[in-house]
Amino acid sequence: MLIEKIIQELQNIPEEKLSEIYELIHDFRLRLNPENRQTRTPGLLISNPFNSV
């Protein structure tokens, strides 16, 4: 099974690098769920540097 192959690969990664792998997997998983996507709402900028008074 593929999950077993992934686990075997993870077991060969040094402990100090596991946090990077975790972040990679976590971010990937979040991107798979469209409900977690943050959409940009236009008009949230408070000031405009080109419109000096």
Side-chain angles (χ1 to χ4, degrees), residues 7-8 13 16 18-19 21 25 30-31 35 38 41 43 49:
I7 291 171
Q8 287 174 352
I13 295 175
E16 62 272 6
L18 287 178
S19 63
I21 298 298
I25 294 169
L30 290 179
R31 286 194 309 266
E35 293 177 4
Q38 294 180 353
T41 304

Side-chain angles (χ1 to χ4, degrees), residues 40-52:
R40 183 182 175 281
T41 304
L44 289 180
L45 295 177
I46 296 172
S47 64
N48 182 352
F50 302 107
N51 191 15
S52 58

Side-chain angles (χ1 to χ4, degrees), residues 18-32:
L18 287 178
S19 63
E20 294 177 44
I21 298 298
Y22 171 79
E23 290 296 324
L24 176 74
I25 294 169
H26 181 73
D27 291 342
F28 179 80
R29 185 185 57 81
L30 290 179
R31 286 194 309 266
L32 293 177

